Amino acid sequence: MSRTLISNVRILDPVSGFDGPGHVLIDGGKIGAVLAADAPLDMAVDQHIDAAGGWLVPGAVDLAARFREPGHTAKADFASETRAAFAGGITRFALPPDTHPVLDTPAMIVRVLRISKAARSPWVMPLGALTQGLAGTALAEMSALKTAGCVGLSQAMAPLDDPLLARRALEYAQGLGMTVHIQPLDARIANGGCAHEGATATRLGLSPIPVAAEVAAMRFWISLVEDTGARLHFGRLSTARGAELVATAQARDLPISADVAAHQLFLTDAALDGFDPAAHLMPPLRSEADRLALREAVKAGVIEAICSDHQPHEADAKRNPFPLTAAGASGLELLWPLTLKWMTEDGVEPLTAVQRVTSTPARRLGLNPPVISAGQPADLALIRPETWTLDPKQLLSRGRNTPLAGMRFTHRVAACWHLGVARHRLSD
C-alpha cells in the first residue's frame, strides 16, 4: 500500500466549505489524513510532494463525455480518452447512451462497464437510453437499465417528438427515482441547421438554428414535468432564454436543473468566421448576449454544473465543407482550465467554481459528492497556477478538434489520483 504526502497545498472542498492551507496523506486507495498547516509531518511515506502554491481539489465529475467506444473507435476509445480524462483531472464521467450499439439493454451496460474496467478508466456512470435504439418510438426497459448500473436516462441528441411517449417516459422514470437528462433541441425548428441564427450565419450562408429550437423543446419538457413531477436535467444549454426558463421553473419549485458546456462560456458564433470546422458544435455557439447570460446563470447557480461535452473526432471528420463536418469538440483536458478561467474573469469564489464541476454534478447523477476527508476515496486533482497556451497537438485525447486553439489559460492540472494511484503527472 503506497503512501503519498501532499504538503503545503491549498485545499478546496466544497462539501465541507473548507478553503485553506494544509497537508493531505494518501494511504492506499483512500485519503489517510487531512492535516492542518502547522501539523508535524514526521511520518513515513513513499512519496512526498511539496505542492506549495497549488490547489488540491476533488476529481471532477463530468456530466457529458463521449469516449467513442463501443462503435466509433476510429475516433477514440477508452484507452486514449482515459489518459485525457486523468490529464484533465476528471475521475468520474457520465456516458451518454448514443454509443453503437445504443446503451438500451443491460447487456450493453455490462459491456461498457467491462471495457471501462479493462482500461482502468475514470468511474463511468452510464446514462441508459430513454427509448429503444434512441428511435423515439418505444420506451427502453428502464428498470432493467437501472439494475444494470445506469444512473439516469437520456435521449442524447436524438429527437423524441411523441408527447404521450415522453410523458410516459417521465412517469416511469419518476417511479424508479431516476433523473431524465435532455439536451433540448426541437429538430423540426432546427431543420437540419448548423449555425446560430444570426448575422454570422447569414453572412456565411449557413443554415440557421433559431433560439426557439432550444426554447420550444424546453417548454415541451417543462410542461410534462409540471404534470408528472419527474426530475429533469437540461444538458448543454446555449441560450439566454433557456437559462431564463430554468430560473422560472426553479422559482416554481419544479425539479429541473441544467448544465452548460465549458466552451459556451467563452465562444460565440463569431468563431465560425472563415468556416472554421472546429467551431461546428451542437448546440451551436450563440450570440455574445447569450454567452454573457450563461456566465451569469452559472455564477448564480441557476445553471448548476459545467461539463466538457467531450466529442472527439478523427481529422477527416472536420475536413469537409462546414455544414458537412461532424459537430463537437474535444474537451476533457480543458474542463478545469476553462472553469478556473471563468472563475478568474468573473470574480467567482474558488469554492463555487470547484463546486460546479465536482459536488453538484455528482449529486445530479445520484452519487455521494466527492469529499476531501479521511477515509474517503483518494480521487483528487492537483492544480497549479501557470500561464500556458493551448496547442491542440499537445492534447492526449485522440480527438484534437477544438475551437480554442491559441487560448491562454492561468491554471493547469498538474496531477490526478484515482483511488490513490497517480494516473497523471504533468511531467509524465
Side-chain angles (χ1 to χ4, degrees):
M1 301 289 282
S2 176
R3 286 161 59 92
T4 300
L5 177 64
I6 306 167
S7 65
N8 303 312
V9 71
R10 179 178 176 179
I11 301 169
L12 291 112
D13 179 19
V15 173
S16 67
F18 182 77
D19 176 359
H23 320 288
V24 172
L25 174 67
I26 297 175
D27 192 352
K30 295 187 176 181
I31 296 172
V34 179
L35 305 169
D38 58 355
L41 300 179
D42 52 344
M43 62 184 75
V45 297
D46 300 290
Q47 186 176 26
H48 182 181
I49 298 172
D50 187 341
W55 294 10
L56 192 68
V57 297
V61 181
D62 193 349
L63 282 175
R66 290 169 170 84
F67 277 30
R68 301 305 195 191
E69 187 179 7
H72 304 286
T73 52
K75 298 179 182 293
D77 56 28
F78 264 76
S80 63
E81 304 319 284
T82 287
R83 291 182 65 206
F86 287 131
I90 295 168
T91 54
R92 289 180 187 266
F93 71 98
L95 181 68
D98 51 353
T99 54
H100 184 72
V102 168
L103 301 182
D104 61 356
T105 65
M108 277 304 301
I109 304 305
V110 170
R111 180 181 174 189
V112 163
L113 294 176
R114 285 177 176 167
I115 294 172
S116 167
K117 185 177 180 179
R120 299 174 62 227
S121 81
W123 302 110
V124 56
M125 303 290 127
L127 299 177
L130 201 59
T131 61
Q132 295 177 24
L134 295 175
T137 55
L139 296 180
E141 293 292 338
M142 298 180 187
S143 178
L145 290 172
K146 181 179 181 180
T147 300
C150 288
V151 298
L153 300 160
S154 172
Q155 191 64 7
M157 291 189 281
L160 177 51
D161 300 327
D162 184 339
L164 180 58
L165 191 66
R167 179 185 169 119
R168 286 176 175 164
L170 290 185
E171 288 173 341
Y172 287 131
Q174 167 74 348
L176 293 168
M178 300 181 79
T179 298
V180 174
H181 297 244
I182 294 295
Q183 186 166 331
L185 187 73
D186 189 309
R188 294 160 298 188
I189 298 176
N191 194 30
C194 62
H196 168 64
E197 185 179 57
T200 300
T202 300
R203 186 171 64 255
L204 298 178
L206 298 174
S207 51
I209 301 177
V211 167
E214 180 170 290
V215 173
M218 293 179 68
R219 286 178 173 152
F220 168 76
W221 284 101
I222 289 172
S223 67
L224 296 179
V225 170
E226 290 171 338
D227 281 358
T228 63
R231 291 200 308 267
L232 190 139
H233 181 82
F234 286 121
R236 276 72 329 131
L237 288 194
S238 67
T239 68
R241 286 167 60 188
E244 290 172 6
L245 279 177
V246 172
T248 301
Q250 291 172 344
R252 296 167 56 206
D253 291 328
L254 293 176
I256 286 176
S257 55
D259 69 59
V260 64
H263 53 249
Q264 291 281 0
L265 303 178
F266 293 89
L267 299 174
T268 69
D269 59 341
L272 276 62
D273 270 333
F275 298 99
D276 183 0
H280 186 186
L281 307 174
M282 196 58 61
L285 296 169
R286 298 289 186 177
S287 69
E288 177 68 2
D290 289 311
R291 185 185 75 87
L292 295 176
L294 291 172
R295 281 184 167 226
E296 285 301 313
V298 178
K299 188 174 183 179
V302 170
I303 295 176
E304 65 177 17
I306 304 171
C307 70
S308 74
D309 194 19
H310 180 63
Q311 297 187 50
H313 287 295
E314 74 279 24
D316 284 349
K318 291 286 188 179
R319 283 182 178 150
N320 283 319
F322 187 94
L324 301 179
T325 58
S330 184
L332 288 174
E333 292 155 85
L334 302 177
L335 180 56
W336 273 113
L338 286 171
T339 298
L340 299 182
K341 186 177 177 69
W342 160 72
M343 174 199 75
T344 302
E345 292 178 351
D346 284 18
V348 177
E349 290 294 326
L351 275 177
T352 299
V354 175
Q355 182 189 51
R356 296 291 184 266
V357 291
T358 60
S359 54
T360 305
R363 290 192 176 97
R364 191 52 52 207
L365 295 174
L367 310 172
N368 291 325
V371 184
I372 302 180
S373 66
Q376 294 296 313
D379 288 350
L380 300 164
L382 176 63
I383 295 172
R384 290 190 183 278
E386 176 183 332
T387 300
W388 60 286
T389 302
L390 174 61
D391 177 357
K393 294 179 181 176
Q394 295 180 349
L395 293 175
L396 295 180
S397 169
R398 198 189 299 167
R400 293 171 175 170
N401 47 297
T402 173
L404 298 165
M407 180 171 281
R408 290 176 65 81
F409 297 94
T410 56
H411 295 82
R412 194 165 203 167
V413 177
C416 181
W417 290 266
H418 182 44
L419 288 176
V421 177
R423 301 299 304 277
H424 167 71
R425 293 290 299 274
L426 196 55
S427 58
D428 290 349

